[in-house]
Amino acid sequence: MSSRGTPRRVWVSPVRCGPGALLGACLAAVALVTVLLPTTAVGSAGTAASSIVAARVADPTQDRPTLPARCRPDSEQHISKPAPCYVTRFVRTRPTVMLWGDSHAYHHIPAVRAAVRGQNVNLVLFIAGACPPMVRIAKQQDTCSVINRQALEFVTRLHKNGRPLTVLLGAYWHWYLSTLEKIDAGEEPGADEAYIFEQSREFRPGVPRMFRTLGRMGVNADVLGPVPTVPDEVFPCLQGEIPYACPIPRGQALPDESTTREYVETQMEALAGRPRLINLKPRICDSAFCYGLRDDVYTWYDGIHLSATFSRSTTSAFRGIVRDLKR
């Protein structure tokens, strides 16, 4: 890659797993974010050790990030309309961390919030389900278009005013790329695939345009790398299937791993400076398997999104971002 935009990789130390239980089978495909966001205010953050102790939640399928009530004006658990979510009180003179992307940005909220806690830093979210961070030319009025325009306007305003800002970009990268392969092969969308086909078509030009736009502006931006997920078909798991608790062969949990990584790193070349690529895979996987449960901590709450407890245990990956922002 070119020297401009060469990513710094942030690795989270792996936790070694003892002998695995049965490999996992037939976990029903999880419908990824049919609403604007999954349940959303982030639980109290803490150290990795305290998070481990707190892992024994009554219902691990509910161990997910949640948004502050002020970000849910309809008092439901989902964002009711596209708008920024100010997780912390926004103070104009403070540095700002901005999380921008789809639900694979959303599931990092607990770690990012823990990293900014007590640091006198704003945390602002621009997140919508199945909506990667993009710059679109047309002024569509759908939720994804609106939230992406709002995000870019926010970045532009802070940058022009000289306010310290770091943007964290996250998406379910492989989902869109694999859908584009289907489109290029001439496949028609299934009954529940029309929206992701549409989003993937927008992803093709919109995501590279977003990276180029931030790069030209000279905005500090880091990228949340791909994380493993539970495939649609896995072996039965005696330890539990929802959330899935058994080891999964790495190639199944991270399909097209090298292709997805290459795509993300290629886009990062357009960013200014030395952007970080946040890589949590060593914390979840070894060379052979990715693990659904270790030390009483579930990796996922639904198979495709990291649990809040697991996310908080990765806070160290984000502390350097906050530290550099405050310099």
Side-chain angles (χ1 to χ4, degrees):
M1 292 191 293
S2 63
S3 58
R4 182 173 183 269
T6 300
R8 292 174 287 171
R9 291 180 177 82
V10 179
W11 303 89
V12 177
S13 299
V15 174
R16 299 300 176 190
C17 182
L22 295 176
L23 290 181
C26 297
L27 176 67
V30 180
L32 179 62
V33 198
T34 57
V35 292
L36 176 58
L37 245 188
T39 327
T40 28
V42 182
S44 60
T47 64
S50 63
S51 296
I52 298 300
V53 173
R56 295 181 178 87
V57 293
D59 183 357
T61 65
Q62 300 303 310
D63 186 21
R64 61 185 70 189
T66 53
L67 295 178
R70 60 182 170 272
C71 298
R72 298 178 279 115
D74 58 1
S75 75
E76 296 293 332
Q77 293 184 331
H78 307 294
I79 293 179
S80 60
K81 61 181 180 179
C85 173
Y86 297 93
V87 177
T88 61
R89 184 173 62 91
F90 189 82
V91 179
R92 186 173 55 87
T93 56
R94 297 197 306 192
T96 298
V97 173
M98 171 183 156
L99 191 58
W100 181 5
D102 63 12
S103 60
H104 274 226
Y106 153 86
H107 64 191
H108 293 286
I109 292 172
V112 180
R113 185 170 187 179
V116 305
R117 184 179 295 279
Q119 297 299 312
N120 199 30
V121 169
N122 301 315
L123 176 57
V124 184
L125 316 178
F126 289 84
I127 292 177
C131 177
M134 298 185 286
V135 172
R136 296 179 175 179
I137 295 177
K139 299 292 186 182
Q140 298 107 313
Q141 294 304 311
D142 61 283
T143 291
C144 189
S145 296
V146 172
I147 196 73
N148 275 311
R149 277 201 304 275
Q150 292 173 343
L152 184 60
E153 289 168 359
F154 182 84
V155 170
T156 302
R157 183 168 65 253
L158 264 64
H159 184 68
K160 285 185 175 180
N161 291 335
R163 303 299 180 191
L165 169 69
T166 293
V167 180
L168 291 176
L169 302 164
Y172 193 172
W173 307 108
H174 176 260
W175 197 35
Y176 305 103
L177 294 173
S178 61
T179 303
L180 282 174
E181 290 181 357
K182 295 180 181 180
I183 292 171
D184 292 343
E187 294 186 28
E188 293 296 323
D192 59 350
E193 292 183 316
Y195 185 71
I196 184 57
F197 268 57
E198 176 187 345
Q199 292 299 83
S200 297
R201 291 189 181 97
E202 296 286 355
F203 176 98
R204 194 194 305 268
V207 167
R209 188 182 298 122
M210 178 271 300
F211 277 98
R212 293 193 302 269
T213 299
L214 296 183
R216 285 194 298 267
M217 292 170 63
V219 172
N220 291 325
D222 296 321
V223 179
L224 301 164
V227 297
T229 57
V230 179
D232 290 348
E233 295 186 359
V234 286
F235 288 106
C237 176
L238 296 182
Q239 291 176 261
E241 296 189 3
I242 304 177
Y244 196 78
C246 289
I248 303 169
R250 182 177 178 121
Q252 295 179 24
L254 289 163
D256 305 315
E257 181 178 3
S258 60
T259 301
T260 304
R261 182 183 65 247
E262 181 180 357
Y263 174 84
V264 173
E265 291 183 343
T266 297
Q267 302 310 314
M268 290 177 67
E269 292 180 5
L271 295 174
R274 296 185 60 211
R276 291 175 172 85
L277 177 61
I278 308 299
N279 178 21
L280 302 183
K281 290 183 289 187
R283 179 65 176 80
I284 303 169
C285 309
D286 56 27
S287 61
F289 295 100
C290 298
Y291 299 92
L293 177 67
R294 293 182 298 192
D295 298 327
D296 291 328
V297 178
Y298 286 91
T299 300
W300 307 281
Y301 68 82
D302 66 355
I304 52 177
H305 300 104
L306 302 176
S307 71
T309 300
F310 177 83
S311 176
R312 282 191 292 272
S313 77
T314 68
T315 299
S316 60
F318 299 91
R319 294 199 189 282
I321 293 171
V322 177
R323 183 173 58 249
D324 289 353
L325 176 62
K326 296 179 67 177
R327 288 177 178 170

